[in-house]
Amino acid sequence: MLAEHVGQVVAEWIGEKGWKDVPAFGLERPADDAHGDYATNFCMQLARIAKAAPRGLAEELRERLLSTPTLQPYLDAVEVAGPGFVNFRLSRTAFVEAAGGLLAVGEEVGRGTRSQPLHINLEYVSVNPNGPLHVGHGRYAAYGNALHRLLAFSGHQVTAEFYINDFGRQMEMFGLSVAARYAQSFGLDLPVPEEGYQGAYVGDVAASIRAEVGDTWLAVLRERGLDDPDDETLLYFKREGYRRMLELMKEELRSFRVEFDVWFSETQLHEGGKVQGAINELLSRGVAYVEEDAIWLRTTDYGDDKDRVLIRSNERPTYFAADIAYHEDKLARGYDHLINIWGADHHGYVPRMKAAVGLLCGEPDRLEVIIGQLVNLLEDGETRQMSTRRGEMVTLQELIDAIGVDAARFFLVMRSHDQTLDLDIGLAKRQSQENPVYYVQYAHARIASILRNVPKDLRPDVIDESAVFTTAYERDLIKTLDEFGSVVTDAADRRAPHRIVGYAQDLAARFHTFYKHCRVIGSEPAVASSRLALCLVTKIVIARCLNLLGVAAPEKM
RNA sequence: GCGCCUGUAGCUCAGUCGGAUAGAGCAACGGACUUCUAAUCCGUGGGCCGGAGGUUCGAAUCCUCCCAGGCGCGCCA
């Protein structure tokens, strides 16, 4: 509420002095209340450019602020402190106006308005549809979906996309594995291939096919076995297995409150000629070339270590080639910006993909790759390794069944995506009651409870009267609420939804403290109504935070 | 060997485009319910911010080197 006004005065000051390349002006919340409601270190940063002592500059700024008439109603005191800090103490009027402003905005508190909103394509999760989602995928799902909500709320237009890796050898092996389990369910001894998928869920998929078509394919499998992957029977199992796994995956994600706008099939990219088309175009433009019977892309033009193969000498396209066609397709659909969320095990792939985008459109930075660190799984302190192929994994569903969607999402998104996450599944199950999500949700439920008990004649209005907002509890709450908008923008720009978690915990803590010390119902009318206004705004902001994280905001607990 | 990420309280982690006395949760200990939900609040203890140099009025934050851990360096996906 104050930063803009002070910023204007500062800008005029700088203009008069003719200083160049000055740092950005900002206010911060001091850790110590003795340093006021807000403080700035601007004069110390300015000292080098202005070639003057920080404290002298601070004194000068203080004089200017105190002689600016429009600021007077908002400031009780401006002090110069320490090596050159300027500390601000706000007036009651400032708090009343801030609270009134927030109440007037209502449900839309914190929504960003961008002068240049971007149409962003956000791709995440994107796994082979040949096994259930494990908790590692769950982390990217929780992170990506929270980022989706956050970017949208901060003022961008976002399309969420899932790239289905349904092409190639992994899917073939999966199809063969399903066929083998199908045959085995009739007593036919057809072993799952060495490199096939051993998990029990493969048997479930086979059983589901059997339930639909009975022994239709049994005789053919007995006769021909699994040796020719292009056999139409085996293609059938690949297709049907794929279809069922994809449905399962969609259901799991939906139950985890993760929704995608576009499901994009890699196979259709190949069958629609898009891969070949992209390569032809790159060849004709001379950025791809033939050498040693293979086709290569000049990714070194954009700083990659070496050029990369698009078509192998055996004439099969690489995964990279398909990915190029995919990104060309995304670019052609008109997005300003592409964001991919990848696991840390793919980070070596980033330079070539950015180079490819550079070769496609001339702007490698239209692609932004966010690398999410991995989840380190433990069970009661012991490391637990995961393998989709061997069917050894902790599934996302298992975590959800154990601790619920809210606690799982909160836990998976509360730490920076840049940090490897230790998840002890045994500990998580035992400690689910201590999940901090309940602390935040409880604040919301408490407010809902107050609202249920509000007498009819009490209305949420901020009344300009000397009795209101006299406590530090109320003022802390207002300051925190007032910061929500900048927290949203900051978290979105940094791709850091975990900052929303931190903010929500902080806001909930300030509310709980306020609740303990500041009675709402039963206080004298002016005080009660002003406090009710704070409750209403707090409820809106907490609900918004939880919504951005994909977590429910309960009315009762 | 090279590249990316990480190293902060007993545990899990915030804080990292330099700011005032480094924070939270959990765990430990001690208090607070006749009043809007005690899933809460108030308090106590707990730290060579991996190590060493450097830049700066000021470094957990920036630079260099070292140590430790994770991940990656394919005509795999």
Side-chain angles (χ1 to χ4, degrees), chain A residues 141-443:
Chain A
Y143 172 77
N145 182 255
L147 184 59
H148 178 181
R149 293 163 187 251
L150 184 55
L151 289 170
F153 189 65
S154 81
H156 294 302
Q157 196 179 339
V158 186
T159 299
E161 190 149 329
F162 188 115
Y163 183 50
I164 312 165
N165 295 142
D166 54 4
F167 185 85
R169 184 169 165 76
Q170 295 308 317
M171 284 314 294
E172 267 175 27
M173 295 314 302
F174 179 66
L176 297 181
S177 305
V178 174
R181 290 295 187 207
Y182 170 86
Q184 287 170 16
S185 77
F186 290 100
L188 182 60
D189 184 22
L190 203 57
V192 171
E194 186 84 1
E195 291 172 59
Y197 291 81
Q198 307 291 341
Y201 65 91
V202 181
D204 299 340
V205 172
S208 138
I209 292 175
R210 176 178 163 160
E212 194 175 299
V213 301
D215 63 0
T216 309
W217 304 93
L218 183 59
V220 188
L221 285 174
R222 177 176 288 126
E223 188 184 328
R224 302 190 208 159
L226 302 178
D227 295 334
D228 175 14
D230 290 330
D231 184 290
E232 63 176 293
T233 304
L234 298 178
L235 289 177
Y236 166 85
F237 279 100
K238 180 166 104 174
R239 198 170 60 244
E240 282 302 304
Y242 157 77
R243 199 168 61 75
R244 285 168 163 79
M245 283 313 304
L246 188 63
E247 272 316 306
L248 202 66
M249 206 175 265
K250 286 184 178 181
E251 268 173 44
E252 279 184 4
L253 287 167
R254 209 175 295 128
S255 77
F256 200 48
R257 305 180 193 134
V258 173
E259 303 274 355
F260 290 92
D261 302 302
V262 178
W263 294 79
F264 199 100
S265 159
E266 182 186 354
T267 296
Q268 287 184 18
L269 215 45
H270 288 275
E271 292 176 351
K274 293 261 180 76
V275 179
Q276 196 54 52
I279 293 170
N280 290 343
E281 187 197 321
L282 293 165
L283 278 169
S284 72
R285 282 173 37 205
V287 295
Y289 59 93
V290 180
E291 192 173 293
E292 295 172 355
D293 295 329
I295 297 179
W296 300 71
L297 185 66
R298 292 188 196 283
T299 53
T300 48
D301 285 2
Y302 278 91
D304 196 10
D305 296 336
K306 51 179 283 195
D307 289 345
R308 305 291 173 172
V309 171
L310 298 174
I311 304 283
R312 304 182 186 96
S313 49
N314 68 8
E315 297 183 353
R316 295 182 65 149
T318 59
Y319 179 83
F320 183 47
D323 229 357
I324 290 170
Y326 177 41
H327 284 78
E328 181 177 49
D329 187 275
K330 284 199 271 194
L331 290 169
R333 280 185 268 148
Y335 299 106
D336 302 308
H337 193 59
L338 308 180
I339 299 179
N340 294 350
I341 300 173
W342 290 347
D345 52 343
H346 287 86
H347 80 257
Y349 192 73
V350 175
R352 83 187 67 168
M353 198 63 240
K354 287 192 65 122
V357 169
L359 291 167
L360 285 171
C361 72
E363 300 172 75
D365 290 339
R366 273 181 68 188
L367 173 66
E368 172 186 349
V369 181
I370 299 174
I371 295 301
Q373 294 300 315
L374 305 173
V375 176
N376 209 2
L377 267 182
L378 308 164
E379 181 139 24
D380 299 328
E382 298 283 312
T383 299
R384 189 165 156 183
Q385 289 301 333
M386 295 208 288
S387 158
T388 301
R389 185 166 301 171
R390 294 198 302 273
E392 295 165 4
M393 64 182 81
V394 179
T395 63
L396 175 59
Q397 197 60 51
E398 187 181 332
L399 182 67
I400 294 173
D401 291 345
I403 69 177
V405 172
D406 287 341
R409 284 197 63 140
F410 204 83
F411 181 84
L412 289 172
V413 87
M414 70 187 293
R415 276 67 194 262
S416 164
H417 68 276
D418 237 5
Q419 181 99 15
T420 51
L421 187 65
D422 281 342
L423 173 60
D424 190 315
I425 188 82
L427 207 61
K429 286 174 183 171
R430 284 197 298 278
Q431 295 186 344
S432 64
Q433 288 312 304
E434 288 148 17
N435 191 304
V437 71
Y438 302 119
Y439 182 82
V440 178
Q441 289 182 316
Y442 185 56

